[in-house]
Each structure stands twice: as C-alpha cells, then as structure tokens.
C-alpha cells in the first residue's frame, strides 16, 4: 500500500484552535478526542487499580483485617465496572479516534460534534458511580453483573444512580460506535477497498456493530432493574410472576458479546504490530477478516455458558457447550496466523512487539481455561470460583490491557513525535510480565481447589497462594507507574521520531509526519 | 452526504430495535418456557378434570416442598412430604398455612416443578397458587391443591418434585380478584 500524495501542510485558517480548557471542552478534532479518551482510560485504570489493591490487601491473609465485607463487595463491583466500562472500552475508543481516520485516509471522524459529546458525558457517568461510594449505604455491591434479586430486592438506595451512570456509559458507547461505522463506510480514501483496510479498522468496524446490537440490551436490562426496585414491576421477581433467571439470560445476551467487544480491537492491534516487527506481511489477511466476523456472529449464540448451573435442560447445556467450543476455532485461526507471520521473519523485539508476543501467549492461556470452563460438567465445579477469575483476567489483563499498552508504545512516536525510552519500556514490560503471572496464575490453583470468588475471607488452606497473588498484585500495580513515567518522558521530549517510526511499518498513518499534524488527509490520499 | 444520513438513520433504528428486543425477550422467554416447559413453571390457570384414563401400570412419586420466602413470616408446609400416584388419578393435597403475626398478610405461592420438562405433564385442577391468599393475624388455614399427572408423561420420569415458594404480597393485594374467586364457589 502506498500513497501518491500526502498533503499535510495546510493553510493557517485550519490550524487556529482555541487555547486552554476551551480547546479541550469544545474540540471536535479526532486526535484531541482520542487523546482525551486515552488519558481518561488511564486515570480510570488507576482508580480501578486502587480498588484492586484494596481487594488484594484484604485477601493477603485469611480473616477480616482491613475492610468490612460490605465495603469489600463494593470494591469488587466498582472495580469491575470501572475496568470494563471506564478503562478498556474508552481506551479502545481512544485508539479508534486517533488511528481510524489516519488509517483510512480520512480528515476526521464522520460526526465530529457527536464525537465531542460521546467523550464528555463519560466523566460524568463515572463521577456519579464513584460518588455513590461516599453516600449513606455505599455504592453498588452486587457484582459488576448486578444479578437480580441482589440488585433489586437486596440492593441499597444508591442503585438508581448506578443505573443512571450505566445508561450514560451506554449512550456514550453507542454514539462512539455509530461514529466509527459511518466513518469507515463513508470516508475511506479512494482506492481503500474493503479488503485493503488495515485489520484494526476491520476489527473495530465489527466491534462497533456488536456495540450497537448489545448496548441497548444492557440499557434495557438496567432499566428493568430500576423499575423492579423502584416502580413495583416484577420482571425478575417471582412473587409477581417474574423470573430471576430471566435477568441472567438478558444480561449475558449483552455480556458475552461485550467480552468480545473488549478483545476484537485487540486482535486488530496485534495484527498491526506483529507484521511490523517480523518485517513480513500478515499471514492470512482474508482469513483474519472472516475469523473476526464469525467470532462476532457466534458470540450471540453462547451466552448461557455463564449459566450452566442455573438448572437448564440437558439439550440447552449441550447446545451452549458446543457453540462455545466452536468459538475457539476462529480464535485458533488468528493465533495460528500470528505465529505464521513471525515464521522466518526478521524479528526485532522492541517494547510493542514484546507486549504483542506476551499477548499471544497469555491470551491463549486464557482461551484454554475458557475451553475448560465451557465443558459443562467441569464448569459445575469451576463456576463462581477463582478459576473463572483467573480465566477472565488472562484474557482481559494480559489480553486486552496488554494489547492497549502495546498499541500505545507502537503509535506513541506518531502521537508525540518522539521515541519513548526503550530501556524504561523494556523494564515496564518485564516487570508487568512477571507480576501479571504471579498475580493471576495461582488463581487457577485456588480456584480448582474450590475457593469461591467475591468473598472477603477464605479457608486457611488457601492462605499461601493468596499471599503470593497479593504480592503479584502490588507489583503489577507498581509496574504501571513505570508506564506513566515513560509516557510523561516521551510527551516531553526524546529522540525525534521519523514519519515511519518503525522500519517495517506499513499503512497510511506512517505516511504523515511525526508528530501527526493537527489535520491530516484534508485532501484524500490515493491508495494503490 | 446523503449516504451518510441514511446510514446514521439505519443505525439509530437498529439501536431502537435492539432496545425493544431487550424488552421483547421478556414475553419471548415466557412463551418459550411455556411451550417447552423448561423452567419448571406449571400453568397458571386450572385445567378441567378430564376423564383421563388411569394408567395403573406405573406409579409416579410426587414430592412436595413448600417454603416461605425470607420476608414471609407465615408457617407454610404440605400435609405429607411425598405421595405415590398412578398417572391419570386425581388427588387432593392440602397445605397448611399459619400466620403467627398480629397483622393480616396476603400470600402468593409460586410453583416450580423439577425436572423442568415434567411441568407440562403436571396438571392442576385447583390450586391455592392461582390466587392471592389472605390470612388474618394469628389464624391458620388449609390450602388445597387438586392435581393429576398426565398419562402421557414420558417413561423416563419416575419422580416429580413440586416446590412452592410463598411470598408476602400484602402491598399488592387485590381483594376484587378474590371476590370473583369466592363466587366461583370455594
Ligand atoms: C476461547 C474463548 C473463550 C471461551 C471458551 C470462554 C468461556 C467462558 C466460560 C464458559 C465462562 C463462564 C465461567 C463460569 O462463570 O463458570 C467465561 C467467563 C468469562 N469470560 Fe470467557 N471465554 C473465552 C474467551 C473470553 C474472552 C476473549 C474474554 C474477554 C476478553 C472473556 C471474558 C470472560 C469474563 C469477563 C468472564 C466472567 C464473567 C463473570 O462471571 O463475571 N472470555 N468464559
Ligand atoms: Cu461468555
């Protein structure tokens, strides 16, 4: 792929932008908005991380030492909500904002004003959510999955605020998704055909459709919780003819596609980074596109693998077991393609590549524990234990989060115009890699041995593993401070980055200078 | 420009449709479970006592479980724990309810049958669970259930467990509905 023109220097009238806070409040520029999303996600990552530290502190030893159980439950709940909706999802949206227009040769997102709105309502959603922690009765304590009747009959008075904040998060994601789809469908540069689009663009397009299909269902189910609690409906209340199991069906109809919303863009990122540092074209581009699409379609047919123990009939157990295992096939295709891309490549191991490699290995471990959980009879033992916690942290932390970190290292030279400090970056990588495994690997063992999730205390035989897990947790938290240091250092200065910051990098974003000018591709490039 | 607007329109429509779909799942679930009987819900209306042919060739064990919900102070239990019946035979089973408090309370029993698919073959001619039950403080009463097991019950089922959970629904009390019932002759 190459471009004929890259006219990036424009007349001044384009570049005058308000200064100070007003620039950020009213900006409609995709790069500004992308940066705000990314910084917001980082802040949320640390707030959610602080809650994880509280959880690990309490679990360092058996017995209750630091927090009372109700507060502990608030910590697990809000940690989950913040990491999912406040850190991972906004980080991906930030990357989409920054990179998609540049990757397809568009001057901006299709709906810049809506873009501004979808970002700026987010901080309010999380402000409301965090505020509830300081109110009488405390914040939500029913788990990020807010199962009824925990969230209806037994929840505290701040539940209305929880519902309200989830609504705002949902609206923000839906607007963001519409924006991504309209941008990709309508604003590709001439010659940028569907099958020439970078995989990050493809995976985000499919993710955006998933968002549009399931976020409204989430909005529906929180609304039902709201009316059950405050307006005497009984969607989930057996006394009034409802059914609490119905809650789980509706929630997981949203919930399973949601986990793919958090991993498909990661697949796109890894598919950009691996070819760059292997200096080879991506192996099996078309199969990657089809695998992504089939994962997205299948993700609507597996939701009840979260509900094997609710007493479903045998044929339903079998159906959901088989569909779930089927998803492992397209996922396997992807891993195969990444490995094949590296095969006989001239590889180098800069920080983005290191995180991408760690992603491939650790995400696969998470996928394998997923397949174990998908075996219905086995899940009767694993369900609601730390084994599930180990599974989803492998796919979400060493999967989604590692891919985001890899993406930041990869495109940071494009954003700031400077190379980051490679030595510090490597230090960040190794500290993260070791601590993340110290943190999550022993969770498999305590889970298999029967330690339940979401409890502030545990039986004595789990004490040693929990102490190790907590130490891993603290180290992982500290390691992320190195990341912040790298980011600040790189924003301030450093070795000047070239337009094509990485030798083997391909794609339109590398045709514009580094740092990318405020406006890029005002005249569309010609893609050959 | 126009293509853009139509796309936005279509996507917004999809958003609205999916929101509606979330709500549509509620009746869909109900209908699906009614047809397949998979969540153990029995019919909420009485069936007429047909002249079913009694199948004396086999016996089915019916187990009765009854428990008040946590917020429900009544004592609530079946007169016997289990019963062996021939499919097609009509039986009456009484449940004892006692309100040990000083205030009047209205209860609603919600049935569930296990294994779930047997629910389709468990027929109630009369049941206290069809209506709300009123009980003044300090009183007790017998609540009857009249039922038979469908002779078409597949052979693999030899035991059916019928479980009732009793809820306090005093704040949703509908006395009119109760009047209609007493007209029906109780
Ligand atoms: C091969 C792919 C996968 C399979 C077969 C799989 C299977 C499962 C199963 C069966 C469960 C339910 C376990 C239980 O509650 O007993 C589960 C839970 C979970 N999975 Fe996966 N999974 C896969 C990939 C992923 C990915 C890619 C993500 C996210 C990026 C993910 C995130 C989660 C989360 C968050 C939960 C726990 C939800 C909760 O109860 O809080 N999984 N997975
Ligand atoms: Cu799932």
């Amino acid at each position: 792929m190459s471009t004929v023109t890259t006219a990036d220097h424009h007349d001044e009238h384009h570049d005058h932008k308000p200064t100070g806070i007003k620039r950020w409040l009213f900006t409609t520029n995709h790069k500004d908005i992308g940066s705000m999303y990314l910084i917001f996600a980082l802040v949320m990552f640390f707030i959610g991380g602080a809650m994880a530290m509280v959880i690990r502190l309490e679990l360092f030893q058996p017995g209750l030492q630091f927090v009372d159980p109700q507060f502990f439950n608030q910590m697990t709940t809000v940690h989950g909500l913040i990491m999912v909706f406040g850190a991972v999802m906004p980080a991906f949206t930030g990357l989409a904002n920054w990179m998609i227009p540049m990757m397809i040769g568009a001057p901006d997102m299709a709906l810049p004003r809506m873009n501004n709105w979808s970002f700026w309502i987010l901080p309010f959603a999380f402000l409301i959510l965090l505020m509830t922690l300081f109110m009488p009765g405390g914040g939500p304590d029913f788990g990020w999955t807010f199962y009824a009747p925990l969230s209806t009959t037994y929840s505290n008075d701040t539940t209305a605020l929880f519902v309200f904040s989830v609504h705002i998060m949902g609206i923000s994601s839906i607007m963001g998704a519409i924006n991504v789809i309209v941008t990709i469908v309508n604003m590709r540069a001439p010659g940028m055909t569907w099958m020439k689009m970078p995989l990050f663009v493809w995976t985000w397009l499919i993710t955006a459709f998933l968002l549009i299909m399931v976020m409204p269902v989430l909005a529906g189910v929180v609304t039902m919780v709201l009316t059950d609690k405050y307006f005497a409906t009984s969607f989930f209340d057996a006394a009034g003819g409802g059914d609490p199991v119905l809650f789980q069906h509706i929630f997981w109809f949203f919930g399973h596609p949601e986990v793919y919303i958090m991993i498909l863009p990661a697949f796109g990122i890894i598919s950009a980074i691996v070819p760059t540092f292997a200096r080879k074209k991506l192996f099996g581009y078309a199969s990657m596109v089809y695998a992504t699409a089939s994962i997205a379609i299948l993700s609507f047919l597996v939701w009840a693998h979260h509900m094997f123990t609710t007493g479903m009939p045998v044929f339903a157990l079998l159906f959901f077991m088989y569909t779930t295992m089927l998803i492992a096939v397209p996922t396997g295709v992807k891993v195969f393609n990444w490995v094949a891309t590296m095969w006989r490549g001239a590889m180098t191991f800069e920080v983005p590549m290191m995180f991408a490699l760690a992603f491939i290995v650790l995400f696969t471990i998470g996928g394998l524990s997923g397949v174990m959980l998908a075996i219905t009879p086995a899940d009767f033992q694993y369900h609601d234990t730390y084994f599930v916690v180990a599974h989803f942290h492998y796919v979400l932390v060493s999967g989604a989060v590692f891919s985001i970190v890899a993406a930041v290292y990869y495109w940071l030279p494009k954003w700031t115009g400077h190379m980051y400090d490679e030595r510090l970056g490597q230090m960040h990588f190794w500290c993260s890699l070791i601590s993340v495994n110290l943190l999550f690997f022993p969770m498999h063992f305590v889970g298999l041995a029967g330690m339940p999730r979401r409890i502030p205390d545990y039986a004595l035989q789990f004490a040693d593993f929990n102490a190790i897990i907590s130490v891993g947790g603290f180290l992982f938290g500290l390691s992320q401070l190195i990341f912040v240091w790298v980011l600040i250092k790189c924003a301030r200065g450093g070795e000047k980055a070239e337009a094509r910051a990485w030798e083997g990098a391909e794609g339109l974003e590398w045709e514009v200078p580094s740092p990318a000018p405020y406006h890029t591709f005002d005249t569309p490039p010609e893609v050959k | 420009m126009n293509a853009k607007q139509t796309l936005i329109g279509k996507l917004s429509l999809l958003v609205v449709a999916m929101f509606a779909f979330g709500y549509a799942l509620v009746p869909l679930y109900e209908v699906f479970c009614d047809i397949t009987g998979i969540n153990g819900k029995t019919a909420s209306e009485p069936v007429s006592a047909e002249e079913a042919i009694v199948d004396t060739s086999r016996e089915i064990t019916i187990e009765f479980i009854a428990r008040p919900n946590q917020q429900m102070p009544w004592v609530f239990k079946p007169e016997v724990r289990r019963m062996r019946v021939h499919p097609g035979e009509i039986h009456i089973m009484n449940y004892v309810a006692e309100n040990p408090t000083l205030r009047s309370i209205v209860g609603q029993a919600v049935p569930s049958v296990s294994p779930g698919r047997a629910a389709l073959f468990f027929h109630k001619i009369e049941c206290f669970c069809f209506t709300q039950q009123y009980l003044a403080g300090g009183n007790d009463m017998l609540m009857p259930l009249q039922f038979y097991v469908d002779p078409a019950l597949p052979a693999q089922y030899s035991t059916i467990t019928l479980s009732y959970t009793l809820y306090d629904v005093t704040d949703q009390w509908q006395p009119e509905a109760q009047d209609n019932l007493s007209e029906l002759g109780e």
Side-chain angles (χ1 to χ4, degrees):
Chain A
M1 207 187 306
S2 74
T3 54
V4 174
T5 54
T6 41
D8 341 280
H9 295 289
H10 323 282
D11 337 85
E12 309 77 306
H13 71 268
H14 266 19
D15 259 33
H16 70 80
K17 50 193 176 201
T19 45
I21 183 76
K22 272 200 175 153
R23 161 174 174 193
W24 299 104
L25 274 180
F26 300 121
T27 183
T28 55
N29 179 287
H30 72 104
K31 300 188 181 79
D32 282 353
I33 294 175
S35 305
M36 290 196 297
Y37 264 113
L38 286 164
I39 292 165
F40 177 77
L42 187 67
V43 172
M44 283 294 138
F45 182 61
F46 278 97
I47 295 177
M51 293 173 185
M53 296 299 105
V54 174
I55 295 169
R56 282 326 313 176
L57 190 67
E58 181 55 53
L59 294 176
F60 185 67
Q61 280 186 344
L64 294 176
Q65 24 272 328
F66 297 99
V67 294
D68 66 89
Q70 210 224 336
F71 187 72
F72 182 89
N73 287 346
Q74 292 172 30
M75 287 293 104
T76 54
T77 305
V78 183
H79 163 75
L81 289 167
I82 288 198
M83 288 308 197
V84 169
F85 296 104
V88 173
M89 289 171 68
F92 281 134
T93 313
L95 291 170
N97 263 293
W98 249 104
M99 302 319 297
I100 288 177
M102 285 208 280
M103 285 178 155
I104 62 173
D108 204 315
M109 294 295 277
L111 308 162
R113 250 169 245 283
M114 189 165 90
N115 208 7
N116 173 290
W117 272 97
S118 43
F119 173 75
W120 274 113
I121 60 177
L122 260 193
F124 293 97
F126 286 92
L127 205 66
I128 292 169
L129 182 64
L130 289 170
M131 254 165 38
T132 61
L133 290 172
F134 301 99
M135 291 180 179
D141 55 4
F142 29 68
W144 81 279
T145 51
F146 59 100
Y147 277 15
L150 294 178
S151 57
T152 53
T153 316
Y154 301 101
S155 62
N156 54 32
D157 292 336
T158 57
T159 306
L161 291 171
F162 155 80
V163 171
F164 188 46
S165 81
V166 172
H167 273 149
I168 304 177
M169 296 168 203
I171 291 169
S172 163
S173 304
I174 290 172
M175 294 201 294
I178 291 180
N179 214 341
V180 165
I181 295 176
V182 178
T183 307
I184 297 175
V185 173
N186 287 321
M187 299 186 54
R188 277 168 295 136
M192 176 62 77
T193 56
W194 289 108
M195 290 314 260
K196 271 191 195 159
M197 288 194 324
L199 266 170
F200 181 69
V201 179
W202 257 118
T203 51
W204 238 112
L205 180 66
I206 292 168
T207 303
F209 272 105
L210 285 182
L211 279 167
I212 288 188
M213 303 277 288
V214 301
M215 291 312 276
V217 176
L218 173 69
V221 75
V222 278
T223 310
M224 290 180 210
V225 163
L226 183 81
T227 57
D228 264 17
K229 184 166 172 67
Y230 295 98
F231 303 105
T233 58
S234 23
F235 289 104
F236 310 127
D237 182 5
D243 188 339
V245 177
L246 174 63
F247 173 89
Q248 296 188 30
H249 281 292
I250 307 179
F251 179 83
W252 288 114
F253 183 85
F254 147 80
H256 189 82
E258 166 68 18
V259 307
Y260 281 97
I261 286 167
M262 293 188 283
I263 206 68
L264 294 184
F267 292 164
I269 291 166
I270 303 306
S271 304
I273 293 177
V274 169
T276 296
F277 295 95
R279 293 166 182 76
K280 272 178 66 192
K281 264 177 90 93
L282 182 70
F283 183 87
Y285 171 89
S287 69
M288 286 296 214
V289 174
Y290 299 134
T292 312
S294 38
I295 290 176
I297 292 165
L298 279 175
S299 74
F300 285 103
L301 298 175
V302 301
W303 76 89
H305 64 215
H306 297 273
M307 303 169 56
F308 284 147
T309 58
T310 54
M312 290 193 291
V314 176
F315 73 80
L317 295 176
L318 288 174
F319 174 82
F320 286 108
M321 174 164 93
Y322 292 136
T323 51
T324 303
M325 290 191 171
L326 206 58
I327 288 206
V329 176
T331 314
V333 168
K334 287 182 171 286
V335 174
F336 178 85
N337 285 348
W338 292 321
V339 175
T341 306
M342 289 185 274
W343 176 252
R344 301 204 164 152
M347 292 215 281
T348 51
F349 300 94
E350 288 88 343
V351 183
M353 184 61 162
M354 294 306 276
F355 273 102
L357 290 173
F359 172 97
I360 296 171
V361 175
L362 300 179
F363 173 78
T364 304
I365 294 179
L368 288 176
S369 58
V371 175
M372 287 172 73
L373 290 166
I375 304 167
T376 309
D379 185 66
F380 271 69
Q381 181 179 341
Y382 308 152
H383 181 62
D384 268 345
T385 68
Y386 258 81
F387 192 81
V388 177
V389 181
H391 159 65
F392 67 72
H393 282 95
Y394 263 87
V395 285
L396 283 172
V397 179
S398 54
V401 172
F402 269 30
S403 81
I404 293 165
V405 174
V408 169
Y409 277 108
Y410 184 55
W411 284 308
L412 205 51
K414 182 57 61 190
W415 301 338
T416 63
H418 307 125
M419 298 307 284
Y420 59 85
D421 183 330
E422 181 70 27
R423 203 182 51 84
L424 272 181
Q426 291 285 351
M427 195 163 106
H428 171 219
F429 169 74
W430 285 106
C431 290
S432 299
L433 180 75
I434 293 165
S435 58
V436 88
N437 283 294
L438 202 60
L439 167 57
F440 297 123
F441 209 80
M443 287 187 184
H444 291 112
F445 306 139
V446 286
L448 290 176
M451 176 168 160
R453 64 189 281 206
R454 293 174 172 158
I455 47 154
D457 188 8
Y458 48 84
L460 286 181
Q461 71 264 34
F462 305 128
D464 293 349
F465 275 133
N466 271 286
I468 297 172
I469 294 170
S470 285
V471 169
F474 302 141
L475 290 177
F476 185 75
L478 288 175
S479 309
Q480 303 323 304
L481 298 177
I482 310 177
F483 185 42
V484 177
W485 186 13
V486 175
L487 292 177
I488 293 174
K489 216 175 144 185
C490 183
R492 288 216 173 141
E495 190 196 324
K496 180 91 192 67
E498 290 167 29
R500 188 179 303 276
W502 307 106
E503 187 196 322
E506 297 267 355
L508 289 180
E509 79 264 36
W510 304 109
E511 313 276 338
V512 303
S514 304
Y518 200 56
H519 293 283
T520 38
F521 296 127
D522 269 353
T523 23
E526 188 90 34
V527 184
K528 281 212 188 123
Chain B
M1 192 61 209
N2 232 335
K4 198 157 129 181
Q5 238 111 50
T6 35
L7 183 57
I8 298 169
K10 279 184 196 160
L11 293 173
S12 314
L13 212 66
L14 186 60
V15 170
V16 175
M18 287 311 294
F19 186 75
F21 176 74
Y23 273 86
L25 281 174
V26 179
L28 280 176
Y29 176 77
E30 208 107 293
V31 170
F32 187 75
C33 292
D34 264 1
I35 296 171
T36 57
I38 50 177
N39 68 345
K41 269 196 188 166
T42 51
S44 53
E45 250 126 62
V47 294
S48 56
E50 292 166 35
E51 294 297 309
I53 310 125
V54 179
D55 175 3
T56 46
S57 67
R58 59 174 172 153
E59 271 191 328
I60 311 292
T61 306
I62 313 286
E63 297 178 330
F64 301 96
I65 298 176
R67 61 187 184 98
N69 167 268
Q70 272 148 305
Q71 276 113 350
M72 176 50 141
W74 288 10
V75 176
F76 173 51
K77 51 188 177 209
E79 269 190 329
V80 293
R81 293 274 162 208
R82 67 177 63 212
M83 193 185 260
R84 291 181 69 75
V85 304
H86 293 298
E89 267 172 11
I90 296 172
H91 286 268
I92 294 190
M93 177 51 210
N94 283 316
Y95 284 73
V96 186
E98 184 193 330
N99 181 353
T101 66
L102 294 176
R103 65 201 155 88
S104 304
I105 291 178
V106 181
Q108 168 73 58
V110 175
S112 170
V113 166
S114 177
R117 289 221 267 172
L120 290 180
F121 302 92
F122 189 88
H123 300 306
K124 295 174 191 159
I125 298 162
E126 192 191 316
C127 177
F128 56 91
C129 61
F130 294 147
T131 50
Q132 298 177 337
Q133 302 289 326
Y134 173 91
L135 191 53
N139 284 0
D140 55 46
M141 65 175 167
L142 281 185
M143 304 192 296
L145 159 70
Q146 196 177 10
F147 71 92
Y148 69 96
V149 176
D150 200 313
L153 178 75
Q156 81 225 51
Y157 300 114
S158 58
T159 304
I160 296 177
T161 307
L162 172 65
S163 145
Y164 282 107
T165 308
L166 190 72
Y167 293 89
D168 179 352
V169 291
T170 310
D171 43 357
Q172 300 159 31
W173 170 228
Q174 295 159 340
E176 320 83 55
Q178 190 68 13
D179 288 347
N180 293 342
L181 187 89
S182 39
E183 275 166 30
L184 286 174
E186 230 198 315

